[in-house]
Amino acid sequence: MAELPGLIKGLGVTLRTMLRPAVTVQYPHEKETPPTRSRGVIALKEENCTVCMLCARSCPDWCIYIEGHKDKAPPRREGGKPRTIQLLDRFDIDYGLCMYCGICVEVCPFDALFWSPEYEYSEVSIAELLHDKERLGDWMKTVPEPLALEAGAEVKKGAKN
Amino acid sequence: MAVVTEFQKAAYVAGQAADARVNVEIEAEGMTLNIGPQHPATHGTLRIVVRLDGEQVVWAEPVCGYMHRGYEKLTEVRTYPQVTTLVNRIDWLGSFANEVPFILAAEKLMDVEAPPRAQWIRTALFELGRLANITLFLGDMGVQLGALTPVFYAFRDREHVLNLIEAATGGRFHPNYDRIGGLKEDLPKGWVTEVKSAMSRIRTFCDEMEDLLVGNEIFETRTRGIGLVPAAVGLEYGLSGANIRASGVDWDIRRDEDSPLAWKHCDWKVWTHPDGDCFARYWVRLQEVREATKIVEQLLDGLPSGPIQAKVPRIIKVPAGEAWVHTDNPLGEMGYYVVSKGGLGPFRTKIRTPSFSNISILPWLLRGVYVPDVITILASLYFILGDIDR
Amino acid sequence: MTAALHLAYWQTTTIKVLVVMGVIPLGALVLAYVFLLKMMSHMQSRLGPMEAGPHGVLQLLADAGKFLQKEDVFPERADRAVFALAPVVVLMSAFLLYVVIPAGPRLTVSNLDTGVFFALAVSSLSVLGVLMAGWSSANKYSLIGALRAAGQLIAYELPLVLGVVGVVIQAGTMSLQGIVQAQAHGALLGFKTLGEPYILPQALGFVLFIVGAQAELTQTPFDMPLAETELVAGYMVEYTGFRFLFFFMAEFGTAFAFAAIGATLFLGGWYVPGVHGTAADVLGPFVLGAKIMLVSFFIFWFRFTYPRFREDQLQAVAWKYLIPLALVNILVTGLLKVVV
Ligand code: SF4
Ligand code: SF4
């Protein structure tokens, strides 16, 4: 039959692939590092948070739960009036609901929320996906430095990226 | 005794009739086969009810809605920045391409325009989304025809594209990278070089597919002359994208309409195929992938420098008005009709998704074909369930 | 014949039965592991199972354990007796195939005079099991799958048989043992020492045989009865647990047997040049095993590369190309036999 070549070319492709090393990553033994910008888990820097509730309000599925109270802090300058500060009582993110959109991180005006590319926090029970503020604080260790930008990017003044 | 109103009775009868129409099985007229909603060929939850005579389809009816998530309604209770993250999930394989037309519509209403660098990056990512989407199709078509291997190659090489999307946007499948008036942040360093190498990989993948499937005689006998869509019929049913281009209609929104995105700066070709059968649809998509790699490379070579965000207020309020923006997405023409009443979110959004129109041709197309061809045709029309049901 | 042992009939029979019962799962296991798990994975640039045992060698045992633990589910409207019996019938057809395959000069369960036709006849017994499975599951997908299987197996029986006829004519015997001997004593272009594997003079027959075997085994490109993307898994849809395991074992057991028949008919079976007598009895099974692996490699290579035909196209291929080719092959072989 004149039609053999097409069939044989296909056999060649599979044979060549077989002789090449496989691309599988044997997951629990070896791991791929996700890119720095990956939205893996949200980390909370508690001392920066002012309980402004912006993140909770702009979250599309309202999965951030915040409670706070007012407190007096010693004045900044000698002899000044004591300041009123807001302290967090509760800051929970329910990762069972979160859709990793990143809006909360973006809207936070005080740089209290960060993305970390960490991804291994699956749980047996869905209730345990609710991370409280201690757990969210722990993620801070894993937050990477923001990346340098590609050539031609506008250089921003100021710290906020 | 419960009181049954006339209305309830009528509703009951109508319900029974609907059930009967779908479920009845009169042996004399053949067999009703229920393909789906859980069926490997529907890659999702599409249900197709076919009446068979032997292995031949007498009539067929797609039943969709099993995955309806109500996105049009949801946009009414979300703010503009929140909507992008929702619409990411419509066509989940080429998700970046979903958010672009919406953002463009919002920008049109607000009368802002993103700076050129942002537009170029948008276009490049748009085409990367197309690659991520269509490479999977190229492999999946093989699986639907019984060749297991191509889809693994597709997953293998698509991985590079997804990694690139993730490296730039932070999300593999749900980038949420577009902002009204620009982008979330600029590209990370080294990205452009990585894209170049990934693009050559994708081209190798296309060559492999050409050897493995397109040139394969079995593949040809299975696809040539199967599922013929004449151009006129295709246009009537509202087919778009590669599906209509495979019927010989030379229509590509990227080229034919003026858009703020950067396609007009690139040198590329719209492929068409005169046949309109399954083979033509596969072939056109294969060429489209090759073109897309070229577009991405050209865009990144000529990437203008500058800001990536235009000036927009911090809290986005869109002035009242109506806007329609459509683009040529991986699956076909996708568009958003956004109506704003000046609030924080849209008042009403109509989402035109390509897959919904593409499968509406099924009753016409499936009449008289054999059961295996049903699968071939479904695969070659290429729908994404999220795109049908949104 | 230096028969050191004199065993009663019942003793030899028991041993033979036990050996066959051992060979089938073993053969199925080896084929499934080497080809289905490993070769396919590597062809698709993956690794396949790696966790159970070194390189996942124990994976299939683990799977078998899992299948055995599963509940034996009958569909509500199934014909229970037939449903239960079907996998056994299919497995039995695989078992019967082994009866005639010689693994050494004296290592054969039964050296039937009509060995070739016995093998091809019992191989079609599996159709019965498939039909039973498809009908009794009370599932439309199963039914379509089973009917396709029936149509296909009948259509491909012919090229398979006709492809083999060439070999039979050339060897002048239908006994598989006799065919091996004929190949051992044949002279290829005058070289007597190497014997004459019939793959060379009967290349066309070999191709027909492989294609036919592929169809008999319902492997891609002829796997429409299973067609997991359209019929989900054809006649096997409703089977779980150990009944599914039966089907699985039968599938690979039959593949093993067909590869063995192919190796015997076309590659000289257990014969290696220069080994005779008891040495051949010892070496034979290994030689045959190696040849089986070679034939299976091709069978599975095609399986993992090609898409599948449509049912009617498959029939067209059988009737329009394969059968005429087979007839031509027979004619030419017959003429040459008469002339030379
Ligand atoms: S990432 Fe999005 S969904 Fe998740 S907590 Fe933040 S705003 Fe909410
Ligand atoms: S937006 Fe930032 S500062 Fe405000 S409550 Fe959230 S985390 Fe705290």
Side-chain angles (χ1 to χ4, degrees), chain C residues 72-75 77-91 125-139 142-143 146 235-236 238-239 242-244 246-247:
Chain C
D72 186 19
V73 184
F74 286 90
R77 287 203 262 162
D79 187 334
R80 295 180 69 97
V82 182
F83 186 80
L85 210 57
V88 183
V89 173
V90 174
L91 194 59
L125 209 62
S126 67
V127 186
L128 198 61
V130 168
L131 268 179
M132 283 162 69
W135 176 255
S136 64
S137 313
N139 181 317
S142 309
L143 187 60
Y235 56 86
M236 290 202 261
E238 298 287 359
Y239 282 91
F242 73 95
R243 286 181 212 286
F244 178 79
F246 275 16
F247 272 124

Side-chain angles (χ1 to χ4, degrees), chain B residues 4-317:
Chain B
V4 181
T5 63
E6 278 303 305
F7 179 75
Q8 278 169 326
K9 248 194 242 165
Y12 178 77
V13 169
Q16 290 290 306
D19 278 354
R21 187 167 56 95
V22 173
N23 293 329
V24 80
E25 188 171 318
I26 307 165
E27 293 298 338
E29 287 183 23
M31 179 164 90
T32 307
L33 188 67
N34 202 356
I35 300 181
Q38 310 287 343
H39 187 280
T42 60
H43 35 89
T45 48
L46 178 70
R47 176 178 174 205
I48 295 165
V49 185
V50 289
R51 169 68 57 80
L52 296 181
D53 177 13
E55 277 219 29
Q56 213 159 18
V57 176
V58 181
W59 63 254
E61 188 180 316
V63 184
C64 54
Y66 285 88
M67 238 187 58
H68 189 67
R69 291 154 296 170
Y71 281 161
E72 288 185 7
K73 194 73 196 162
L74 272 177
T75 57
E76 295 170 20
V77 289
R78 293 285 187 277
T79 63
Y80 282 94
Q82 288 174 347
V83 171
T84 44
T85 178
L86 278 181
V87 297
N88 270 172
R89 284 150 174 84
I90 290 180
D91 158 17
W92 49 62
L93 290 180
S95 40
F96 189 83
N98 294 325
E99 51 188 60
V100 172
F102 177 78
I103 289 290
L104 289 181
E107 284 177 356
K108 203 166 163 186
L109 284 174
M110 290 179 69
D111 208 20
V112 291
E113 185 148 314
R117 185 175 172 88
Q119 301 286 23
W120 287 58
I121 295 175
R122 266 182 198 173
T123 319
L125 278 164
F126 191 102
E127 292 301 316
L128 283 183
R130 179 186 307 274
L131 288 175
N133 188 326
I134 300 186
T135 43
L136 198 58
F137 160 81
L138 294 177
D140 178 68
M141 182 88 176
V143 170
Q144 306 296 348
L145 295 177
L148 283 177
T149 310
V151 77
F152 287 97
Y153 295 171
F155 276 120
R156 179 190 69 193
D157 293 332
R158 187 181 72 131
E159 190 66 18
H160 303 295
V161 178
L162 288 182
N163 283 342
L164 288 170
I165 296 179
E166 190 181 12
T169 67
R172 277 171 94 70
F173 282 93
H174 305 130
N176 191 22
Y177 187 61
D178 270 309
R179 296 292 177 269
I180 290 177
L183 298 169
K184 186 173 151 213
E185 52 195 332
D186 210 305
L187 299 172
K189 209 174 191 64
W191 195 76
V192 171
T193 8
E194 275 175 53
V195 172
K196 295 269 169 62
S197 79
M199 289 307 105
S200 72
R201 262 176 225 256
I202 293 287
R203 278 195 290 266
T204 324
F205 165 78
C206 288
D207 296 341
E208 267 179 357
M209 284 303 115
E210 208 144 70
D211 285 350
L212 203 55
L213 284 180
V214 178
N216 189 309
E217 283 74 17
I218 303 177
F219 181 81
E220 278 196 43
T221 43
R222 280 301 302 280
T223 50
R224 277 211 194 265
I226 307 292
L228 274 175
V229 182
V233 178
L235 286 173
E236 265 172 35
Y237 276 100
L239 295 200
S240 51
N243 285 333
I244 197 72
R245 285 196 283 276
S247 296
V249 179
D250 189 9
W251 174 58
D252 193 316
I253 304 168
R254 292 177 287 172
R255 178 199 59 191
D256 297 345
E257 280 176 33
D258 188 41
S259 121
L261 296 179
W263 287 298
K264 49 184 179 273
H265 304 297
C266 302
D267 171 33
W268 56 288
K269 183 170 160 29
V270 177
W271 289 90
T272 57
H273 196 286
D275 288 358
D277 54 8
C278 294
F279 183 84
R281 290 192 275 276
Y282 188 88
W283 186 86
V284 165
R285 289 211 174 87
L286 188 68
Q287 305 310 325
E288 228 164 70
V289 166
R290 292 202 170 123
E291 289 303 322
T293 60
K294 274 191 233 161
I295 297 179
V296 171
E297 282 179 349
Q298 290 176 24
L299 283 172
L300 293 183
D301 282 338
L303 196 62
S305 51
I308 49 151
Q309 179 73 40
K311 280 252 170 307
V312 285
R314 192 164 174 91
I315 292 178
I316 285 172
K317 274 200 176 153

